[in-house]
């Protein structure tokens, strides 16, 4: 029957029922026949119902049908299931409330035979609508009196009813992608408590029907998946008991695997993870859970149904007779247990069909358990997940306890093996910071085994097991997943703290599969190879491996048509070149095709391998730069967009290496390195890059070209012909006005690089043009553009501040005014922008001259700048704070700015003093101390009270800096003391007679601490592990200057505070005389 005829029939029954009113004598009969007719229609086809009419009909039935009429309610429940679930009708809030009220009332009074229909309808209504059902959650989920209906039915001895109730809980917890809303935390905790207790009960139950047991397990595990995915913060629930149960079920049914009771229940304790570690987070790609809209029969039999939809009893896995030998026993660590699983050999030949069904059901249990564990370790605190590693990963080859590698190596289901690899990936992903605790050398000779050694042993075992699994695998799907898992493992493993040799073994193992024609395997292989090459801290093992021109694990194909590379070229370059050629040859079998697009992922990854090789091992690759340039240029000629993009990135890495060679080269080699780099850029700017900057070219490629241009370097730019220099400058200025934000951001950043080049610093016209386009970019609505513009503007202002005399003459007042206006406006932007704005403001304040200060607008700019900088010293990210301190210091250095007459002077000094005394970040304190001592004239420091308070702030800083609470700040402590010493001596050397009384008052009880510090610190500097006699002499000079100045004041001083000043000079001079005698 087509949709049109069905809709006609539906309209007929709808019109009959919708006309009924309460009290009609024929209402029951009409409802009965109408619901029979409605339920006889086919709802599994495409959506054909009218939602508005359907909602009205549902409301009408709720009003007319009495909950006590079980037969009629059962038919209504079937109608609800057909419309709400099968036709995916959007239920209005009013209809939802009425339906839930009706079904909850019915479930409280109905008999067992009609419970299944009610729960199935309830599950359909709850699916993805949990957040709209908040006021009914307590009636559904209460675990205390009055018991919620779902909680009560979960405890039912009827397995069909308990499964449907568990399914309803999973549907209630399911987070709909469309709705996007969630339940309250308390309701999630209720759901979790019910499901977790249910799994523990299963663990202690003897099931006579193994297939029925598997149905129970799978239903509960799928509900748990929905719940774990929906909970925002898994730290709010106790995961310990659940992980213990899931660990058992992930091995449930694996042949020849025996779990003792003690091993199964070792985690069943409350109170956190077995090993206490620090916090982190882990991330893993998980499948998006979407509603499985198929017939009820297909949805139930699917082993990978990610979401939990209402199901009929008839669609469940067919039960099988037979017994299972004590599959689960009550958890008791003191009692032995029989094997949790049995092998298929227990079934006779005439039971082979039943055995196969059981085998399939068991694999679904394991797969669902592994999926739950993936979600947990993906989303829970990484420090907590590391504490569970011991129960999933063995720490020695002799370990007999079943582990995650039991799943990966012994499971007969390929999907379960993949699930084990997904779980291992989840455990490793994001754990890099914590795995640095591993140390294979930290092996104790006594009985104690350190955690660092145990962790290193576990990492060794992971590598050994994965490599063995790869060698034994013959399934392409499994090989692909092992490659992906290895990639994540390599990216997170600290190889400098393990035995050497693992990286070589990984390379040997993966190269054996290079001959595979499967494109996905080749892509994953190259991604794994790239992760090996990009391991931090290039080791001698990898340097030796990658320096080889030939490698035994890679046999080069004989290809007469491929461009032959010199023999000395590293084998990895030859491998990538051959892959690129093979890909192109495979595509170009048809002369009409001239693109790598069909197999472009292989070519893309081959180029990425070359990029990471160049980035991490420039000392190996520099002799082959010419050949790699040819490879990149050949790829550019191909025309594929992605290939072109990676080829440009490779050219950028080559440019970076050439620039580094110029900087690091010795005097006699610098000229040749510079000549090679100039020729390279002539080739790029003449032949390769100009066509890629055309407006018709993809924006991502043009962005990459801008990034590449930023690698030219000042030495090369100076040697380039004037025409190419002009080409670079004009092209970048034009691209800064591009409408595409990616291109604009990259071009603006490149302009910022160019403004720092010495050859362009004196070109005031170019710098002015750059500032104009940067000021336009800083107004962009795209934050990424504004971030780049702020950095570039700070660079450009660095240039004009460094050449202020020239730019005072060549820069118009109008342009400088525009710069100030833009900076003051951007100072309220995001912190990522603000810290560069602080830097730029400081340079502009340093740039201003007396001529500028004759104009009222600049006086106003200075006042506003001081207020903004003072505000940012105490708020925002640390980069903002220390850049604001530095900017205030530059303002104080500018003698043209008269601080004494300004009404914000005291505010600036008080802000800096507060930062010196209280900031938790020592770099902020250092910069603030430096800023506070930037002025060279006593008049800049205001009245004696303010001046004396600066003395006190330095002493207070010395006192509280000794109490380092953050160990990461300890490395800056010596630098802070150095700066305090220099700043205190400078400030003291500006003292005048009128300041003595105020200083005595401010330093009351602190003068001895200051004197002791000034006396002893030079000697302390000399005693450091890395001592510097020049530093010692510098500090001694500061002290001598201070003593001389104070002595000169004392000679003619006769006012109040004379005794204080005399004692201060005597104490400082005493140490001076003693040091001369020694």
């Amino acid at each position: 029957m087509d949709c049109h005829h069905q809709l006609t029939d539906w309209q007929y029954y709808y019109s009959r029922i919708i006309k009924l009113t309460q009290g009609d004598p024929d209402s029951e009969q009409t409802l009965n026949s109408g619901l029979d007719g409605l339920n006889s229609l086919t709802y599994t086809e495409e959506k054909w119902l009218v939602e508005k009419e359907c909602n009205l009909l549902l409301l009408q039935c709720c009003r007319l049908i009495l909950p006590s009429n079980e037969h009629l309610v059962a038919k209504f429940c079937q109608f609800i299931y057909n419309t709400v679930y099968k036709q995916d009708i959007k239920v209005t809030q009013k209809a939802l409330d009425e339906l839930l009220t009706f079904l909850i009332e019915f479930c409280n009074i109905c008999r067992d035979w009609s419970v299944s229909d009610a729960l199935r309808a309830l599950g359909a209504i709850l699916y993805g609508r949990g957040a709209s059902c908040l006021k009914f959650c307590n009636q559904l989920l209460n675990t205390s009196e009055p018991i919620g209906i779902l909680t009560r039915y979960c405890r039912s001895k009827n397995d069909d009813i308990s499964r449907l109730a568990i399914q309803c809980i999973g549907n209630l917890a399911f987070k709909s992608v469309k709705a996007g809303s969630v339940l309250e935390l308390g309701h999630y905790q209720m759901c979790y408590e019910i499901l977790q207790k249910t799994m523990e009960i299963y663990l202690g139950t003897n099931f006579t029907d193994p297939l029925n047991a598997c149905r129970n397990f799978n239903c509960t595990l799928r509900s748990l998946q929905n719940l774990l995915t929906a909970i925002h913060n898994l730290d709010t629930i106790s995961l310990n008991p659940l992980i213990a149960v899931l660990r058992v079920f992930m091995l449930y049914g694996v042949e020849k695997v025996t779990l003792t009771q003690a091993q199964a229940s070792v985690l069943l304790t409350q109170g956190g993870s077995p090993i206490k570690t620090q916090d982190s987070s882990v991330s893993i790609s998980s499948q998006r859970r979407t509603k499985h809209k198929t017939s009820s029969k297909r949805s139930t039999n699917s082993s990978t149904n990610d979401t939990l939809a209402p199901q009929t009893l008839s669609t469940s896995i067919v039960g099988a007779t037979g017994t299972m030998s004590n599959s689960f026993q009550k958890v008791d660590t003191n009692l032995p247990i029989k094997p949790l699983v049995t092998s298929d050999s227990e079934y006779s030949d005439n039971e082979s069909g039943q055995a196969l069904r059981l085998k399939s059901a068991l694999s679904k249990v394991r797969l669902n358990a592994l999926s739950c564990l993936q979600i947990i370790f993906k989303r829970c605190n990484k420090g907590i997940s590391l504490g569970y590693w011991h129960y999933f990963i063995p720490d020695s080859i002799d370990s007999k306890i079943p582990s995650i590698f039991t799943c990966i190596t012994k499971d007969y289901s390929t999907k379960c093996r993949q699930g084990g690899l997904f779980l291992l990936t989840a455990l490793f992903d994001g754990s890099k910071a914590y795995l640095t605790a591993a140390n294979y050398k930290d092996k104790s000779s006594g009985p104690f085994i350190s955690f660092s050694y145990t962790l290193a042993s576990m990492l060794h075992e992971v590598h050994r097991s994965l490599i063995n699994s790869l060698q034994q695998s013959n399934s392409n799907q499994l090989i692909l997943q092992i490659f992906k898992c290895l990639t994540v493992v390599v990216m997170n493993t600290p190889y400098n703290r393990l035995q050497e040799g693992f990286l070589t073994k990984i390379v040997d193992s993966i190269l054996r599969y290079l001959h595979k024609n499967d494109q996905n395997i080749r892509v994953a292989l190259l991604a794994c190879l790239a992760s090996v090459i990009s391991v931090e801290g290039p080791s001698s093992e990898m340097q030796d491996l990658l320096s080889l021109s030939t490698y035994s694990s890679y046999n080069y194909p004989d290809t007469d048509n491929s461009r032959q590379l010199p023999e000395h070229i590293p084998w990895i370059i030859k491998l990538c070149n051959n892959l690129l050629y093979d890909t192109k040859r495979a595509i170009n079998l048809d002369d009409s095709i001239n693109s790598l697009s069909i197999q472009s992922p292989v070519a893309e990854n081959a180029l990425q391998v070359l990029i990471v090789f160049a980035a991490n091992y420039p000392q190996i690759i520099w002799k082959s730069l010419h050949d790699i340039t040819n490879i990149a240029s050949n790829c550019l000629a191909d025309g594929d967009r992605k290939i072109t993009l990676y080829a440009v990135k490779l050219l950028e890495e080559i440019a970076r290496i050439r620039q580094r060679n110029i900087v690091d080269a010795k005097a006699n080699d610098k000229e040749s390195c510079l000549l090679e780099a100039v020729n390279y850029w002539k080739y790029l700017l003449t032949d390769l890059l100009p066509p890629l900057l055309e407006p018709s070219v993809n924006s991502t490629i043009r962005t990459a070209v801008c990034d590449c241009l930023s690698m030219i370097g000042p030495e090369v730019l100076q040697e380039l012909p004037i025409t190419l220099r002009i080409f670079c400058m004009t092209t970048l200025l034009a691209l800064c006005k591009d409408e595409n934000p990616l291109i604009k951001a990259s071009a603006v950043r490149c302009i910022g690089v160019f403004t720092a080049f010495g050859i362009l610093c004196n070109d005031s016209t170019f710098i002015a043009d750059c500032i104009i386009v940067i000021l336009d970019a800083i107004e962009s609505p795209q934050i990424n553009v504004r971030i780049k513009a702020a950095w570039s503007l700070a660079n450009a202002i660095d240039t004009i501040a460094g050449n202020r005399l020239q730019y005072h003459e060549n820069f118009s007042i109008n342009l400088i005014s525009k710069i100030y206006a833009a900076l003051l406006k951007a100072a309220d932007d995001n912190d990522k922008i603000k810290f560069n704005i602080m830097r730029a403001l400081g340079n502009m304040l340093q740039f201003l001259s007396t001529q500028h200060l004759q104009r009222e607008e600049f006086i106003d700019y200075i006042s506003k700048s001081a207020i903004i900088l003072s505000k940012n010293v105490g708020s925002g990210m640390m980069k903002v704070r220390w850049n604001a301190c530095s900017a205030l210091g530059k303002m104080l250095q500018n003698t043209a700015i008269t601080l004494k007459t300004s009404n914000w002077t005291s505010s600036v000094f008080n802000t800096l003093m507060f930062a010196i005394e209280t900031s938790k970040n020592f770099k902020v304190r250092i910069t603030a101390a430096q800023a506070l001592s930037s002025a060279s004239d006593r008049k800049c420091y205001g009245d004696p009270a303010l001046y004396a308070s600066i003395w006190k702030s330095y002493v207070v800083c010395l006192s509280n800096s000794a109490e380092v609470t953050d160990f990461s700040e300890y490395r800056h402590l010596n630098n802070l003391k150095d700066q305090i010493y220099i700043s205190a001596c400078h400030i003291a050397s500006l003292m005048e007679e009128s300041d003595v009384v105020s200083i005595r008052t401010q330093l009351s009880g602190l003068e001895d601490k200051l004197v002791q510090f000034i006396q002893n610190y030079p000697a302390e500097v000399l005693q450091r592990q890395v001592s510097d006699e020049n530093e010692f002499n510098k500090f001694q000079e500061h002290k001598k200057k201070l003593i001389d100045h104070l002595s000169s004041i004392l000679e003619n001083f006769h006012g109040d505070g004379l005794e204080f000043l005399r004692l201060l000079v005597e104490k400082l001079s005493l140490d001076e005389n003693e040091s001369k005698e020694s």
Side-chain angles (χ1 to χ4, degrees):
M1 185 182 296
D2 59 27
C3 293
H4 176 71
H5 289 149
Q6 289 208 116
L7 187 58
T8 302
D9 292 344
W10 196 90
Q11 289 285 355
Y12 168 74
Y13 296 118
Y14 167 79
S15 61
R16 291 188 62 192
I17 296 175
I18 208 70
K19 293 176 182 177
L20 294 175
T21 59
Q22 289 183 343
D24 283 352
D26 298 329
S27 62
E28 183 175 345
Q29 183 178 357
T30 304
L31 281 169
N32 190 49
S33 61
L35 288 173
D36 283 338
L38 289 170
N39 288 329
S40 66
L41 302 177
T42 303
Y43 293 92
T44 55
E45 298 175 0
E46 63 183 21
K47 187 173 180 179
W48 52 270
L49 282 179
V50 179
E51 289 185 345
K52 183 178 179 180
E53 293 180 351
C54 191
N55 276 281
L56 291 174
L57 188 56
L58 290 171
L59 283 170
Q60 177 76 335
C61 291
C62 286
R63 297 189 190 104
L64 297 177
I65 299 174
L66 298 176
S68 57
N69 191 337
E70 289 189 70
H71 288 281
L72 203 55
V73 172
K75 293 180 180 180
F76 179 42
C77 289
Q78 186 179 356
F79 175 67
I80 293 172
Y81 180 81
N82 287 334
T83 54
V84 176
Y85 170 62
K86 291 184 178 180
Q87 282 286 291
D88 193 22
I89 291 298
K90 184 178 180 180
V91 182
T92 63
Q93 187 63 48
K94 182 179 180 182
L96 185 65
D97 292 344
E98 291 286 342
L99 287 169
L100 287 173
T101 303
F102 178 87
L103 289 173
I104 289 172
E105 182 182 353
F106 176 70
C107 286
N108 283 321
I109 63 173
C110 66
R111 289 175 289 181
D112 288 348
W113 71 268
S114 58
V115 171
S116 297
D117 291 320
L119 290 176
R120 193 176 300 111
L122 185 60
I125 293 170
L126 294 176
Y127 185 79
R129 300 181 180 90
S132 302
C133 310
L134 293 179
K135 62 183 179 182
F136 298 96
C137 284
N138 289 335
Q139 298 178 61
L140 296 170
L141 300 171
N142 258 356
T143 54
S144 57
E145 293 295 336
I147 300 294
I149 60 170
L150 294 181
T151 307
R152 184 171 76 248
Y153 285 125
C154 281
R155 301 171 183 173
S156 173
K157 294 181 180 180
N158 185 317
D159 286 342
D160 296 331
I161 292 176
S162 65
R163 276 198 300 271
L164 285 168
I166 290 169
Q167 196 173 348
C168 286
I169 293 175
N171 290 354
L172 177 64
F174 177 69
K175 184 178 179 180
S176 172
V177 176
K178 294 179 182 178
S181 51
V182 293
L183 295 178
E184 294 177 356
L185 178 60
H187 298 142
Y188 281 133
Q189 290 173 334
M190 288 180 182
C191 294
Y192 177 75
E193 182 181 347
I194 296 169
L195 297 178
Q196 184 252 315
K197 291 294 182 184
T198 301
M199 292 301 293
E200 286 189 15
I201 291 171
Y202 287 159
L203 197 62
T205 303
N206 291 324
F207 289 97
T208 57
D209 184 352
L211 280 173
N212 192 54
C214 288
R215 285 199 294 272
N216 291 345
F217 302 155
N218 281 318
C219 181
T220 310
L221 289 168
R222 287 198 297 270
S223 292
L224 274 169
Q225 288 179 43
N226 286 349
L227 178 62
L228 293 169
T229 303
I231 297 176
H232 177 68
N233 183 8
L234 291 183
D235 295 338
T236 57
I237 59 176
S238 175
L239 294 171
N240 225 33
L242 178 61
I243 291 176
V245 176
L246 293 174
R247 180 175 176 266
V248 175
F249 280 108
M250 81 175 192
L251 299 166
Y252 182 59
V254 179
E255 189 175 358
K256 297 180 182 179
V257 173
T258 301
L259 284 177
T260 66
Q261 182 63 51
Q263 292 165 354
S265 62
V266 68
L267 295 177
L268 284 176
T269 55
Q270 296 292 337
S273 59
I275 301 174
K276 293 182 180 179
T277 57
Q278 298 177 0
D279 291 350
S280 181
S281 61
V282 66
S283 58
I284 178 180
S285 297
S286 60
Q287 296 177 349
R288 180 178 295 177
R289 282 161 174 76
T290 55
K291 193 171 181 180
H292 194 53
K293 301 176 182 178
T294 59
S295 65
S296 58
K297 182 175 181 179
R298 294 205 328 259
S299 66
T300 309
N301 290 332
S302 173
S303 63
T304 58
N305 187 7
D306 291 322
T307 58
L308 197 60
Q311 299 169 356
T312 60
L313 177 62
S314 62
T315 61
S316 301
I317 301 173
V318 179
T321 59
T323 61
M324 198 173 220
S325 60
N326 297 329
S327 295
F328 296 100
Q329 298 292 340
K330 186 66 179 176
V331 174
D332 184 351
T333 57
N334 298 318
L335 298 175
I337 190 172
K338 294 182 180 180
L340 287 177
V341 298
T342 58
S343 67
D344 291 340
S345 60
E346 292 186 355
Y347 296 92
S348 59
D349 292 339
N350 58 4
E351 295 174 320
S352 59
Q354 180 180 341
L356 289 173
R357 288 196 297 273
L358 178 61
K359 193 173 183 179
S360 174
L362 292 171
S363 68
K364 293 175 186 177
V365 173
R366 295 194 299 276
L367 189 58
N368 282 320
L370 288 166
S371 296
C372 287
L373 287 169
Q374 286 176 54
I375 297 170
I376 289 173
F377 292 124
K378 167 194 172 183
R379 306 187 66 232
C380 78
N381 186 293
K382 192 56 183 179
I384 293 176
S385 70
L386 188 64
Y388 291 104
W389 273 38
H390 225 49
Y391 300 101
F392 294 94
I393 299 174
D395 59 3
S396 72
I397 193 173
D398 300 322
S399 177
K400 303 299 181 184
I401 300 175
S403 67
I404 192 172
F405 291 108
T406 308
C407 299
I408 295 171
T409 58
K410 294 186 178 180
D411 202 305
Y412 50 78
S413 167
T414 300
K415 287 186 178 180
C416 290
R417 290 192 178 196
Q418 287 179 294
L421 290 165
F422 286 139
L423 176 55
L424 184 61
T425 304
L427 287 169
F428 265 86
D429 196 10
S431 59
K432 186 174 184 177
Y434 291 90
L435 296 184
T436 54
N439 190 353
Y440 188 69
K441 297 178 181 179
D442 191 17
K443 184 175 182 181
S444 174
S445 56
F448 172 76
I449 301 177
S450 66
F451 173 72
S452 58
Y453 178 78
T454 302
L455 188 57
S457 300
M458 294 166 73
L459 293 175
H460 288 169
E461 190 60 24
V462 167
H463 283 75
R464 186 194 65 81
S465 299
L466 281 177
I467 291 170
N468 288 344
S469 300
L470 183 60
Q471 293 171 349
Q472 296 169 10
S473 297
N474 51 16
S475 164
N476 281 1
Q477 290 180 334
L478 209 55
I479 292 169
L480 177 64
Q481 194 54 49
I482 292 174
F483 280 160
K484 292 181 178 180
C485 184
L486 266 175
T487 301
V488 176
V489 168
V490 169
M491 290 170 64
N492 289 276
T493 300
Y495 289 96
N496 59 331
R497 304 178 72 84
L498 304 181
Q499 284 183 331
E500 281 197 356
F502 284 113
L503 292 172
T504 303
K505 289 178 181 177
I506 291 173
V507 173
D508 287 343
S509 300
I510 64 177
L511 288 181
R512 300 175 190 273
Y513 296 90
L514 197 60
H515 66 280
K516 289 274 188 180
N517 291 326
D518 190 316
Q519 174 182 293
N520 293 326
I521 288 181
R522 283 192 165 195
V523 168
L525 183 154
L526 289 169
C528 186
L529 186 59
S531 69
V532 171
I533 296 172
S534 59
V535 167
E536 284 187 10
S539 62
S540 57
E541 174 192 358
M542 286 305 296
Q543 287 181 356
D544 294 341
L545 176 65
L546 296 174
S547 298
L548 298 174
S549 58
T550 58
Y551 190 50
S552 57
S553 296
Y554 174 59
N555 297 319
Y556 307 104
D558 295 327
T559 52
D560 296 333
N561 296 328
S562 65
R563 198 185 70 80
Q564 296 297 321
L565 296 175
E567 287 296 326
H568 70 273
I569 292 291
W571 65 271
I572 195 77
I573 299 176
K574 296 176 184 176
L575 181 151
C576 294
N577 182 62
N578 287 336
L579 283 175
L580 288 166
Y581 171 76
D582 289 345
T583 303
K584 189 167 185 176
R585 184 179 57 175
I587 302 307
N588 291 343
L589 291 177
D590 183 354
D591 293 338
S592 64
I593 302 176
N594 186 28
S595 172
L596 302 181
S597 57
I598 297 177
Q599 286 196 357
S600 62
V602 176
E604 291 165 28
N605 280 268
L607 285 170
Q608 287 186 68
V609 170
L610 287 176
I611 291 169
V612 297
F613 183 32
N616 289 276
Y617 294 91
Q619 71 277 15
I620 297 176
I621 210 171
W622 72 272
K623 292 183 179 179
S624 310
L625 292 180
H626 178 71
D627 298 286
I628 298 178
T629 302
N630 289 336
I631 292 173
S633 62
N634 289 335
C635 291
L636 288 177
D638 178 79
D640 180 85
R641 181 173 61 84
K642 290 184 178 180
I643 300 299
T644 301
L645 174 64
Y646 287 112
V648 173
K649 289 182 179 294
L650 181 56
L651 291 173
E652 181 186 349
E653 284 300 329
I654 296 170
R656 183 178 282 107
I657 294 172
R658 292 195 179 279
Q659 180 60 27
R660 191 181 303 159
N661 287 345
I662 294 171
V663 175
D664 297 341
K666 297 178 182 178
N668 54 347
D669 295 329
K670 189 178 274 300
E671 187 176 347
S672 61
C673 291
L674 179 58
L675 180 60
E676 290 178 3
V678 169
N679 290 332
Y680 172 75
W681 275 106
K682 284 180 180 178
Y683 174 54
L684 261 58
L685 295 172
T686 305
D687 298 334
L688 298 185
L689 299 185
L692 301 178
L693 290 169
E694 295 294 330
S696 58
V697 177
N698 179 269
S699 60
T700 310
I701 295 173
R702 295 167 72 197
T703 301
V705 173
C706 290
D707 293 336
C708 184
L709 287 173
S710 67
M711 289 290 109
I712 289 180
E715 300 89 352
V716 175
L717 189 66
Q718 187 167 359
E719 297 297 325
L720 285 176
I722 187 64
T723 53
L724 294 181
R725 255 188 280 166
I726 293 173
F727 167 78
C728 291
M729 294 156 62
T730 54
T731 300
L732 288 172
L733 289 171
L735 290 173
C736 286
K737 300 175 183 178
D738 197 282
E739 294 181 358
N740 187 287
L742 292 175
I743 299 173
K744 191 168 191 171
S746 182
V748 166
R749 176 189 168 274
C750 192
I751 282 289
V753 173
F754 274 40
T755 57
F757 290 173
I759 188 176
L760 299 175
C761 282
N762 297 322
D763 189 344
S764 56
T765 303
F766 174 70
I767 298 297
D769 290 340
C770 290
I771 289 177
I772 290 169
V773 296
I774 293 171
L775 291 178
D776 175 67
I778 211 166
E779 299 285 341
S780 171
Q782 296 291 329
I783 186 170
N784 189 47
V785 177
R786 299 202 304 276
I787 290 172
K788 305 294 185 186
W791 180 82
S792 296
L793 184 58
N795 275 15
I797 296 174
D798 281 348
T799 297
I800 65 173
N803 300 272
R804 62 176 64 85
L805 294 178
Q806 174 188 344
Y807 286 97
H808 283 164
E809 298 176 2
N810 297 335
F811 260 35
S812 68
I813 296 293
N814 185 37
L815 180 57
I816 296 173
S817 181
K818 285 182 178 179
I819 294 173
Y820 255 117
L823 290 175
L824 295 177
K825 181 179 179 181
D828 291 329
D829 209 328
N830 187 282
D831 274 3
K832 293 180 179 179
I833 297 165
K834 200 183 294 183
F835 77 88
N836 275 311
I837 297 300
M838 298 299 109
R839 178 163 71 99
L841 268 175
N843 284 320
M844 282 305 296
L845 289 168
Q846 191 178 32
F847 171 78
L848 292 179
S849 65
T850 307
Q851 179 185 358
H852 296 122
L853 297 181
Q854 293 173 359
R855 300 171 66 94
E856 255 331 292
E857 60 180 312
F858 286 104
I859 298 295
D860 184 51
Y861 286 148
I862 294 171
S863 178
K864 289 179 179 178
S865 299
I867 294 170
I868 288 171
L869 292 172
S870 298
K871 176 184 174 183
N872 284 283
V873 166
S875 64
M877 59 191 289
M878 291 306 167
K879 270 189 176 182
V880 175
R881 297 186 184 196
W882 73 63
N883 276 344
C885 291
S886 177
L888 287 174
K890 290 181 178 180
M891 181 179 71
L892 295 175
Q893 290 173 9
N894 191 340
T895 55
I897 300 177
T898 307
L899 297 177
K900 185 176 179 181
T901 59
S902 302
N903 55 5
W904 39 261
T905 304
S906 59
S907 173
V908 168
F909 286 120
N910 287 329
T911 300
L912 290 172
M913 286 188 287
F914 183 78
I916 290 173
E917 296 175 14
T918 63
S919 178
K920 294 180 180 180
N921 186 285
F922 279 10
K923 289 180 72 176
V924 173
R925 290 194 183 194
I926 292 167
T927 316
Q930 188 177 21
L932 203 54
S933 61
S934 295
S936 57
D937 191 340
R938 167 63 187 85
K939 294 178 181 179
C940 296
Y941 290 100
D943 59 54
L946 178 61
Y947 172 74
S949 63
I950 297 174
W951 282 57
K952 182 180 178 180
S953 68
Y954 285 132
V955 182
V956 172
C957 178
L958 282 174
S959 301
N960 58 31
S961 64
E963 302 172 3
V964 183
T965 57
D966 186 353
F967 185 76
S968 63
E969 297 298 323
Y970 187 80
R971 57 189 171 142
H972 302 300
L973 181 58
N974 285 339
N975 291 337
L976 176 60
K977 287 183 176 180
D978 289 352
Q979 188 58 54
I980 292 294
Y981 189 93
I982 295 169
S983 297
C985 288
H986 172 75
I987 290 291
S989 66
L990 300 177
M991 187 176 74
E992 296 176 349
E993 292 183 4
S994 58
D995 300 321
V996 175
V997 176
S998 296
I999 292 172
R1000 181 186 63 182
T1001 303
Q1002 289 286 348
L1003 291 184
S1004 178
L1006 298 174
E1007 60 268 26
D1008 288 341
K1009 192 172 188 66
L1010 177 63
V1011 169
Q1012 185 180 4
F1013 174 66
I1014 295 176
Q1015 284 176 340
N1016 300 333
Y1017 192 67
E1020 182 183 325
V1021 171
L1022 203 58
Q1023 292 173 1
R1024 290 176 185 169
Q1025 288 184 350
V1026 184
S1027 60
D1028 187 345
E1029 192 169 345
N1030 292 330
E1031 286 290 310
F1032 170 78
N1033 294 333
K1034 181 179 73 173
F1035 288 122
Q1036 287 288 75
E1037 288 175 9
H1038 282 294
K1039 184 169 71 171
K1040 184 177 183 304
K1041 181 181 177 182
L1042 169 62
I1043 294 171
D1044 291 345
H1045 179 72
L1046 295 179
S1047 299
S1048 66
I1049 295 176
L1050 183 62
E1051 288 178 2
N1052 302 314
F1053 185 74
H1054 301 288
D1056 189 16
L1058 175 62
E1059 185 62 21
F1060 165 77
L1061 183 59
R1062 184 182 61 79
L1063 287 174
L1064 188 63
V1065 173
E1066 283 182 1
K1067 290 178 181 179
L1068 291 171
S1069 301
L1070 177 65
D1071 182 66
E1072 178 78 1
N1073 295 330
E1074 288 181 352
S1075 64
K1076 286 180 179 178
E1077 292 174 4
S1078 62

